[in-house]
Amino acid sequence: FLQREITDHRERTYIMKPKGRPLSPSRATMIANTVLFVAALCSITAPIHGFQVSPPLAVLKMSKKNRPSVVNLPMDSGGGDDATTAKPISQPTSINLPLVLTNLANQAFIGSTIWTGGAGYQTLVEHANFDSGAVLLGVAGVIPLLLLSRKIETSESPYVSGLNLSTNMAVLKLFGPKARPVLALAISVLLAGVTGITEETVFRGQSLPTFANNYFEGDYLAGAVCSTLLFAILHTNPLGFFKSRDAFIDNSTLLILQLINGSTFCLLYLATGNLAVSIIAHALYDTYTFYKTHLVDVAGQMEYAERETSMPTCSSDKVEKMWIE
């Protein structure tokens, strides 16, 4: 009788799972995710997929009328005191392969159990079905985020100007100032694909049910909130909140944006039950961010600036006389 009671208790406590919900990850997976979380918070760099956010809002907060039309790049005087001999610090002129590999290495570390056939791989196999329906839902699900992104890109608000500038500078550092349509597209798809698989598997596929089943008695709404908050925090620089008012604004804006992104990906997963939908949406969003920023916001503006500086100039008096004649 006692043995039967003990067996029944164990079944009720450890074996029974919420019907229709993904199985809870193992205790080892929960510990691994916690270690990764602490390691990321202790990191000095704050990734937007590996990039640091530190925009100079003092310039961006000027009115459009008073804002300088040309942004002066940092100067290197070569150790001399004469400012006239200063030369611009060299900017990247080609694909920054070490930075590409660093970003891939970061994702490989975060998703180590995916690539080694561990718990992450099992989660991906069990909960991701890459069929035509998942593609269509992923494309439809990312459209609101792309519209929001476009709204932010065209906004002149000082609260988002810092985010725009930091994104442009990060992509400039990654791809260089010259347009490379084919190579940049290939690298963008590679980085975005690896990031989508890794982060959706870790945050939506593993962290969400871990929080729900281990801390909130199977409440998946609470698990979704916690995993989304974790996702957003890891895409900011926690130390930046305490550096200055401008840094606080930058990180707060980024935190809100990542909460929106994470909530959207989480909703796609919970609504469809298919991790592939959120992976596709995430990968498309990152591809757009990398590729569009490179071709339009960085390389396009660089080419425009070069054309403008190469045009012959004349005084306003000469122009006025030409029109009068």
Side-chain angles (χ1 to χ4, degrees), residues 200 203-204 208 220-221 223-225 227-228 260-272 278:
E200 291 309 304
F203 290 106
R204 256 60 70 178
L208 191 158
Y220 270 55
L221 178 59
V225 171
S227 62
T228 300
I260 295 173
N261 292 344
S263 298
T264 301
F265 300 142
C266 189
L267 180 62
L268 289 174
Y269 172 52
L270 292 179
T272 63
S278 61

Side-chain angles (χ1 to χ4, degrees), residues 48-49 51 95-97 99-101 103-104 107 167 170-172 174-176 178-197 279-296 298:
I48 310 180
H49 305 307
F51 298 132
I95 301 295
N96 192 337
L97 186 58
L99 184 57
V100 174
L101 295 178
N103 280 273
L104 291 175
Q107 296 300 324
T167 302
V171 173
L172 171 63
L174 183 65
F175 294 122
K178 300 294 183 181
R180 294 175 173 82
V182 178
L183 189 56
L185 177 61
I187 294 176
S188 297
V189 171
L190 174 63
L191 290 175
V194 172
T195 300
I197 293 174
I279 291 175
I280 292 171
H282 194 149
L284 289 175
Y285 179 81
D286 285 355
T287 300
Y288 168 85
T289 301
F290 282 125
Y291 194 60
K292 184 266 178 186
T293 303
H294 167 63
L295 279 187
V296 179
V298 176

Side-chain angles (χ1 to χ4, degrees), residues 214-257:
N214 290 281
Y215 298 106
F216 299 102
E217 299 180 348
D219 186 348
Y220 270 55
L221 178 59
V225 171
C226 290
S227 62
T228 300
L229 184 60
L230 175 64
F231 171 83
I233 291 175
L234 292 182
H235 283 78
T236 64
N237 181 358
L239 299 179
F241 286 100
F242 309 99
K243 287 184 178 180
S244 66
R245 180 177 180 274
D246 290 342
F248 178 82
I249 293 175
D250 294 341
N251 279 276
S252 298
T253 303
L254 181 59
L255 180 64
I256 293 172
L257 176 62

Side-chain angles (χ1 to χ4, degrees), residues 103-113 115 194 198:
N103 280 273
L104 291 175
N106 289 340
Q107 296 300 324
F109 171 72
I110 295 173
S112 58
T113 61
W115 320 117
V194 172
T198 300

